Amino acid sequence: SYTTDTKSREENKKTLESLYSLSVDITKIRRLKEWVLLQDVAYVKEIAGILQEMGADEPTVANIIERCPEAILHTPAEINSQRALWQLVCQNEKQLIKLIEQFPESFFTTEYHQNQKANILFFQELGLKNNIITRFLTSAPNIFYNPVEKNKNVIETLQRNYLNLGGSEANMKIWILKLLSQNPFILLNTSTAIQENLEFLQKNDFTDQEVLQLLSKLKGFIFQLNSTTMHKSMLFSKNIFKCSDQELKQLVLKCPALLYYSVPVLEERLEGLLKEGISIAQIRETPTVLELTTQIVQYRIKKLSALGYDIKSGNLESLNGTKKDFEVTYGKIQSKKERPIFNPVAPLHIED
């Protein structure tokens, strides 16, 4: 119920004075959310007091208010309720204040308090550790805005499908918790969308075991797709690699990105590889190279070329993996190059 009509309103002098006394940079608030300064009622001192009670010093309080000015429009009762709620999953108030400083907007969204509480309790019952739940609260807060019934419904759909696909009852809990930890946003999907995507894979002759394998490899991202985009991506890959349906299936199992990325993304990445002199045959041999952005591929090729490694005649595996994986590969190639080729028992040729 806050107004954003700024033309006819004046800044609230009492709010300004309270902010000045806390050394808050008011120009930042004017630039970010000036409408906050125009409200008739604000709880600057009260909110600052609660944050200080939790252990925040003055610079921390100022930083929180500068980053999330609407914090001062919440009543002390609302913020104390939110504080009690987050304490259900935080080790102590020191950790809580650190989280509020890093993610003030997540903490000061109080409109969904009842849903947040019900979902926190549901996730705890499900077996998610508190540190994972705090990560969700800060990085994926909107999953807590859903009514808890909706999240339960999605989880039940996943559990049912996992068992129908041949997953074991014993492993189901671990599988669900891992899937959620990797990608909590699957909870923003509907049960119907999840069902449709799984049916699409089965219609394309993926066995139950292969569908399970894909779900684990895709970390749940498959549920954020739809059958139309998956169909287009698969068709694009089939034409580019000139392969049969069975061969395409094997490529997708090897590199689920062929299913996950849209056609424009795959086109751009493919083009980038071809420009570097890499052949379609090489890409087909190591399709996982399409998981890397064009910029990463260019950077890695440049580094390997500096060592005299010719990617055009070599294996694309050396480009693959995370930043850490690549650094290990690069280190091995570098040390191989620097190591002197010397056999102490071989006859010594002067021209060598």
Side-chain angles (χ1 to χ4, degrees), residues 201-217:
L201 293 173
Q202 287 169 318
K203 279 177 195 161
N204 278 273
D205 293 329
F206 285 92
T207 65
D208 289 353
Q209 198 53 46
E210 286 166 344
V211 174
L212 264 187
Q213 193 185 325
L214 274 175
L215 296 191
S216 302
K217 275 193 174 182

Side-chain angles (χ1 to χ4, degrees), residues 18 21 119 127 130 202 208 212 246-247 253 261 264 282 300:
S18 301
S21 71
N119 279 306
N130 283 344
Q202 287 169 318
D208 289 353
L212 264 187
Q246 190 54 35
E247 287 167 332
L253 288 168
Y261 289 121
Q282 280 177 295
R300 291 182 181 183

Side-chain angles (χ1 to χ4, degrees), residues 189-234:
N189 295 288
T190 63
S191 305
T192 317
I194 290 172
Q195 204 68 48
E196 281 171 3
N197 287 352
L198 293 174
E199 281 166 14
F200 168 81
L201 293 173
Q202 287 169 318
K203 279 177 195 161
N204 278 273
D205 293 329
F206 285 92
T207 65
D208 289 353
Q209 198 53 46
E210 286 166 344
V211 174
L212 264 187
Q213 193 185 325
L214 274 175
L215 296 191
S216 302
K217 275 193 174 182
L218 278 165
K219 300 177 181 174
F221 288 114
I222 192 166
F223 301 128
Q224 284 159 252
L225 304 174
N226 61 63
S227 51
T228 311
T229 54
M230 287 194 281
H231 177 70
K232 284 178 182 171
S233 297
M234 282 177 74

